[in-house]
PDB file of all heavy atoms in Angstrom:
ATOM      1  N   LEU B 420     -16.589 -44.297  19.642  1.00 89.00           N
ATOM      2  CA  LEU B 420     -16.060 -44.764  20.927  1.00 89.00           C
ATOM      3  C   LEU B 420     -14.603 -44.341  21.099  1.00 89.00           C
ATOM      4  O   LEU B 420     -14.174 -43.983  22.189  1.00 89.00           O
ATOM      5  CB  LEU B 420     -16.163 -46.295  21.022  1.00 89.00           C
ATOM      6  CG  LEU B 420     -17.565 -46.885  21.139  1.00 89.00           C
ATOM      7  CD1 LEU B 420     -17.522 -48.398  21.028  1.00 89.00           C
ATOM      8  CD2 LEU B 420     -18.225 -46.488  22.450  1.00 89.00           C
ATOM      9  N   PHE B 421     -13.863 -44.377  20.014  1.00 90.00           N
ATOM     10  CA  PHE B 421     -12.429 -44.074  20.077  1.00 90.00           C
ATOM     11  C   PHE B 421     -12.177 -42.579  20.316  1.00 90.00           C
ATOM     12  O   PHE B 421     -11.297 -42.215  21.078  1.00 90.00           O
ATOM     13  CB  PHE B 421     -11.757 -44.517  18.773  1.00 90.00           C
ATOM     14  CG  PHE B 421     -10.255 -44.410  18.814  1.00 90.00           C
ATOM     15  CD1 PHE B 421      -9.500 -45.240  19.627  1.00 90.00           C
ATOM     16  CD2 PHE B 421      -9.592 -43.491  18.023  1.00 90.00           C
ATOM     17  CE1 PHE B 421      -8.120 -45.153  19.651  1.00 90.00           C
ATOM     18  CE2 PHE B 421      -8.208 -43.394  18.043  1.00 90.00           C
ATOM     19  CZ  PHE B 421      -7.475 -44.230  18.864  1.00 90.00           C
ATOM     20  N   TYR B 422     -12.955 -41.747  19.671  1.00 88.00           N
ATOM     21  CA  TYR B 422     -12.661 -40.319  19.721  1.00 88.00           C
ATOM     22  C   TYR B 422     -13.405 -39.544  20.801  1.00 88.00           C
ATOM     23  O   TYR B 422     -12.861 -38.608  21.364  1.00 88.00           O
ATOM     24  CB  TYR B 422     -12.941 -39.669  18.357  1.00 88.00           C
ATOM     25  CG  TYR B 422     -11.789 -39.861  17.405  1.00 88.00           C
ATOM     26  CD1 TYR B 422     -11.797 -40.872  16.462  1.00 88.00           C
ATOM     27  CD2 TYR B 422     -10.674 -39.043  17.466  1.00 88.00           C
ATOM     28  CE1 TYR B 422     -10.736 -41.068  15.597  1.00 88.00           C
ATOM     29  CE2 TYR B 422      -9.598 -39.229  16.607  1.00 88.00           C
ATOM     30  CZ  TYR B 422      -9.644 -40.241  15.672  1.00 88.00           C
ATOM     31  OH  TYR B 422      -8.582 -40.429  14.832  1.00 88.00           O
ATOM     32  N   LEU B 423     -14.645 -39.914  21.051  1.00 80.00           N
ATOM     33  CA  LEU B 423     -15.430 -39.049  21.951  1.00 80.00           C
ATOM     34  C   LEU B 423     -14.862 -38.932  23.355  1.00 80.00           C
ATOM     35  O   LEU B 423     -14.733 -37.857  23.883  1.00 80.00           O
ATOM     36  CB  LEU B 423     -16.869 -39.546  22.014  1.00 80.00           C
ATOM     37  CG  LEU B 423     -17.798 -38.884  21.021  1.00 80.00           C
ATOM     38  CD1 LEU B 423     -19.217 -39.320  21.266  1.00 80.00           C
ATOM     39  CD2 LEU B 423     -17.722 -37.371  21.097  1.00 80.00           C
ATOM     40  N   LYS B 424     -14.594 -40.050  23.976  1.00 73.00           N
ATOM     41  CA  LYS B 424     -14.059 -39.957  25.340  1.00 73.00           C
ATOM     42  C   LYS B 424     -12.649 -40.509  25.392  1.00 73.00           C
ATOM     43  O   LYS B 424     -12.124 -40.773  26.459  1.00 73.00           O
ATOM     44  CB  LYS B 424     -14.973 -40.704  26.315  1.00 73.00           C
ATOM     45  CG  LYS B 424     -15.712 -39.757  27.218  1.00 73.00           C
ATOM     46  CD  LYS B 424     -16.358 -40.491  28.348  1.00 73.00           C
ATOM     47  CE  LYS B 424     -17.043 -39.512  29.283  1.00 73.00           C
ATOM     48  NZ  LYS B 424     -17.722 -40.210  30.359  1.00 73.00           N
ATOM     49  N   GLU B 425     -12.096 -40.701  24.184  1.00 70.00           N
ATOM     50  CA  GLU B 425     -10.755 -41.276  24.068  1.00 70.00           C
ATOM     51  C   GLU B 425     -10.607 -42.513  24.963  1.00 70.00           C
ATOM     52  O   GLU B 425      -9.731 -42.597  25.808  1.00 70.00           O
ATOM     53  CB  GLU B 425      -9.717 -40.215  24.389  1.00 70.00           C
ATOM     54  CG  GLU B 425      -9.695 -39.137  23.323  1.00 70.00           C
ATOM     55  CD  GLU B 425      -8.714 -38.020  23.610  1.00 70.00           C
ATOM     56  OE1 GLU B 425      -7.556 -38.344  23.880  1.00 70.00           O
ATOM     57  OE2 GLU B 425      -9.122 -36.872  23.557  1.00 70.00           O
ATOM     58  N   LEU B 426     -11.516 -43.446  24.745  1.00 79.00           N
ATOM     59  CA  LEU B 426     -11.448 -44.701  25.493  1.00 79.00           C
ATOM     60  C   LEU B 426     -10.225 -45.496  25.034  1.00 79.00           C
ATOM     61  O   LEU B 426      -9.803 -45.379  23.887  1.00 79.00           O
ATOM     62  CB  LEU B 426     -12.705 -45.534  25.238  1.00 79.00           C
ATOM     63  CG  LEU B 426     -14.045 -44.972  25.697  1.00 79.00           C
ATOM     64  CD1 LEU B 426     -15.170 -45.872  25.237  1.00 79.00           C
ATOM     65  CD2 LEU B 426     -14.078 -44.835  27.204  1.00 79.00           C
ATOM     66  N   SER B 427      -9.694 -46.324  25.923  1.00 85.00           N
ATOM     67  CA  SER B 427      -8.548 -47.143  25.535  1.00 85.00           C
ATOM     68  C   SER B 427      -9.029 -48.279  24.628  1.00 85.00           C
ATOM     69  O   SER B 427     -10.222 -48.623  24.620  1.00 85.00           O
ATOM     70  CB  SER B 427      -7.872 -47.714  26.772  1.00 85.00           C
ATOM     71  OG  SER B 427      -8.704 -48.691  27.340  1.00 85.00           O
ATOM     72  N   LEU B 428      -8.078 -48.865  23.902  1.00 87.00           N
ATOM     73  CA  LEU B 428      -8.452 -49.974  23.013  1.00 87.00           C
ATOM     74  C   LEU B 428      -9.047 -51.135  23.810  1.00 87.00           C
ATOM     75  O   LEU B 428      -9.962 -51.808  23.349  1.00 87.00           O
ATOM     76  CB  LEU B 428      -7.226 -50.454  22.242  1.00 87.00           C
ATOM     77  CG  LEU B 428      -6.777 -49.559  21.084  1.00 87.00           C
ATOM     78  CD1 LEU B 428      -5.471 -50.052  20.517  1.00 87.00           C
ATOM     79  CD2 LEU B 428      -7.833 -49.514  19.983  1.00 87.00           C
ATOM     80  N   GLU B 429      -8.515 -51.324  25.017  1.00 89.00           N
ATOM     81  CA  GLU B 429      -9.016 -52.421  25.865  1.00 89.00           C
ATOM     82  C   GLU B 429     -10.481 -52.166  26.239  1.00 89.00           C
ATOM     83  O   GLU B 429     -11.301 -53.086  26.250  1.00 89.00           O
ATOM     84  CB  GLU B 429      -8.172 -52.562  27.150  1.00 89.00           C
ATOM     85  CG  GLU B 429      -6.830 -53.226  26.950  1.00 89.00           C
ATOM     86  CD  GLU B 429      -5.829 -52.352  26.198  1.00 89.00           C
ATOM     87  OE1 GLU B 429      -5.973 -51.107  26.239  1.00 89.00           O
ATOM     88  OE2 GLU B 429      -4.931 -52.904  25.546  1.00 89.00           O
ATOM     89  N   GLU B 430     -10.785 -50.908  26.544  1.00 88.00           N
ATOM     90  CA  GLU B 430     -12.172 -50.582  26.913  1.00 88.00           C
ATOM     91  C   GLU B 430     -13.112 -50.764  25.717  1.00 88.00           C
ATOM     92  O   GLU B 430     -14.199 -51.315  25.848  1.00 88.00           O
ATOM     93  CB  GLU B 430     -12.257 -49.140  27.425  1.00 88.00           C
ATOM     94  CG  GLU B 430     -11.770 -48.991  28.855  1.00 88.00           C
ATOM     95  CD  GLU B 430     -11.658 -47.552  29.278  1.00 88.00           C
ATOM     96  OE1 GLU B 430     -10.963 -46.767  28.589  1.00 88.00           O
ATOM     97  OE2 GLU B 430     -12.253 -47.189  30.273  1.00 88.00           O
ATOM     98  N   ILE B 431     -12.646 -50.289  24.553  1.00 90.00           N
ATOM     99  CA  ILE B 431     -13.466 -50.446  23.343  1.00 90.00           C
ATOM    100  C   ILE B 431     -13.674 -51.933  23.054  1.00 90.00           C
ATOM    101  O   ILE B 431     -14.765 -52.370  22.683  1.00 90.00           O
ATOM    102  CB  ILE B 431     -12.821 -49.728  22.139  1.00 90.00           C
ATOM    103  CG1 ILE B 431     -12.792 -48.220  22.406  1.00 90.00           C
ATOM    104  CG2 ILE B 431     -13.565 -50.018  20.845  1.00 90.00           C
ATOM    105  CD1 ILE B 431     -12.040 -47.418  21.384  1.00 90.00           C
ATOM    106  N   ALA B 432     -12.596 -52.707  23.256  1.00 90.00           N
ATOM    107  CA  ALA B 432     -12.683 -54.146  23.014  1.00 90.00           C
ATOM    108  C   ALA B 432     -13.728 -54.779  23.930  1.00 90.00           C
ATOM    109  O   ALA B 432     -14.504 -55.635  23.518  1.00 90.00           O
ATOM    110  CB  ALA B 432     -11.322 -54.787  23.238  1.00 90.00           C
ATOM    111  N   GLU B 433     -13.746 -54.318  25.194  1.00 88.00           N
ATOM    112  CA  GLU B 433     -14.707 -54.866  26.152  1.00 88.00           C
ATOM    113  C   GLU B 433     -16.134 -54.463  25.781  1.00 88.00           C
ATOM    114  O   GLU B 433     -17.059 -55.265  25.895  1.00 88.00           O
ATOM    115  CB  GLU B 433     -14.360 -54.356  27.550  1.00 88.00           C
ATOM    116  CG  GLU B 433     -14.651 -55.394  28.619  1.00 88.00           C
ATOM    117  CD  GLU B 433     -14.323 -54.891  29.994  1.00 88.00           C
ATOM    118  OE1 GLU B 433     -13.249 -54.286  30.168  1.00 88.00           O
ATOM    119  OE2 GLU B 433     -15.157 -55.097  30.885  1.00 88.00           O
ATOM    120  N   ILE B 434     -16.287 -53.236  25.328  1.00 88.00           N
ATOM    121  CA  ILE B 434     -17.635 -52.755  24.958  1.00 88.00           C
ATOM    122  C   ILE B 434     -18.162 -53.527  23.750  1.00 88.00           C
ATOM    123  O   ILE B 434     -19.323 -53.921  23.703  1.00 88.00           O
ATOM    124  CB  ILE B 434     -17.599 -51.231  24.658  1.00 88.00           C
ATOM    125  CG1 ILE B 434     -17.335 -50.450  25.943  1.00 88.00           C
ATOM    126  CG2 ILE B 434     -18.902 -50.754  24.009  1.00 88.00           C
ATOM    127  CD1 ILE B 434     -17.040 -48.983  25.737  1.00 88.00           C
ATOM    128  N   THR B 435     -17.282 -53.738  22.774  1.00 88.00           N
ATOM    129  CA  THR B 435     -17.744 -54.358  21.524  1.00 88.00           C
ATOM    130  C   THR B 435     -17.539 -55.875  21.500  1.00 88.00           C
ATOM    131  O   THR B 435     -17.850 -56.525  20.507  1.00 88.00           O
ATOM    132  CB  THR B 435     -17.018 -53.732  20.318  1.00 88.00           C
ATOM    133  OG1 THR B 435     -15.613 -53.810  20.558  1.00 88.00           O
ATOM    134  CG2 THR B 435     -17.405 -52.293  20.100  1.00 88.00           C
ATOM    135  N   LYS B 436     -17.018 -56.402  22.594  1.00 88.00           N
ATOM    136  CA  LYS B 436     -16.781 -57.846  22.740  1.00 88.00           C
ATOM    137  C   LYS B 436     -15.890 -58.408  21.630  1.00 88.00           C
ATOM    138  O   LYS B 436     -16.228 -59.414  20.987  1.00 88.00           O
ATOM    139  CB  LYS B 436     -18.109 -58.619  22.790  1.00 88.00           C
ATOM    140  CG  LYS B 436     -18.860 -58.454  24.092  1.00 88.00           C
ATOM    141  CD  LYS B 436     -18.419 -59.463  25.140  1.00 88.00           C
ATOM    142  CE  LYS B 436     -19.080 -59.178  26.486  1.00 88.00           C
ATOM    143  NZ  LYS B 436     -18.269 -59.215  27.634  1.00 88.00           N
ATOM    144  N   ILE B 437     -14.794 -57.724  21.385  1.00 90.00           N
ATOM    145  CA  ILE B 437     -13.779 -58.245  20.465  1.00 90.00           C
ATOM    146  C   ILE B 437     -12.420 -58.061  21.149  1.00 90.00           C
ATOM    147  O   ILE B 437     -12.354 -57.417  22.204  1.00 90.00           O
ATOM    148  CB  ILE B 437     -13.800 -57.508  19.096  1.00 90.00           C
ATOM    149  CG1 ILE B 437     -13.765 -55.988  19.301  1.00 90.00           C
ATOM    150  CG2 ILE B 437     -15.001 -57.901  18.254  1.00 90.00           C
ATOM    151  CD1 ILE B 437     -13.686 -55.190  18.024  1.00 90.00           C
TER     152      ILE B 437
END
Side-chain angles (χ1 to χ4, degrees):
Chain B
L420 291 172
F421 188 68
Y422 278 98
L423 267 187
K424 250 193 177 178
E425 292 178 51
L426 296 175
S427 71
L428 284 173
E429 284 71 25
E430 282 171 305
I431 295 173
E433 215 181 315
I434 291 170
T435 53
K436 287 273 174 225
I437 50 176

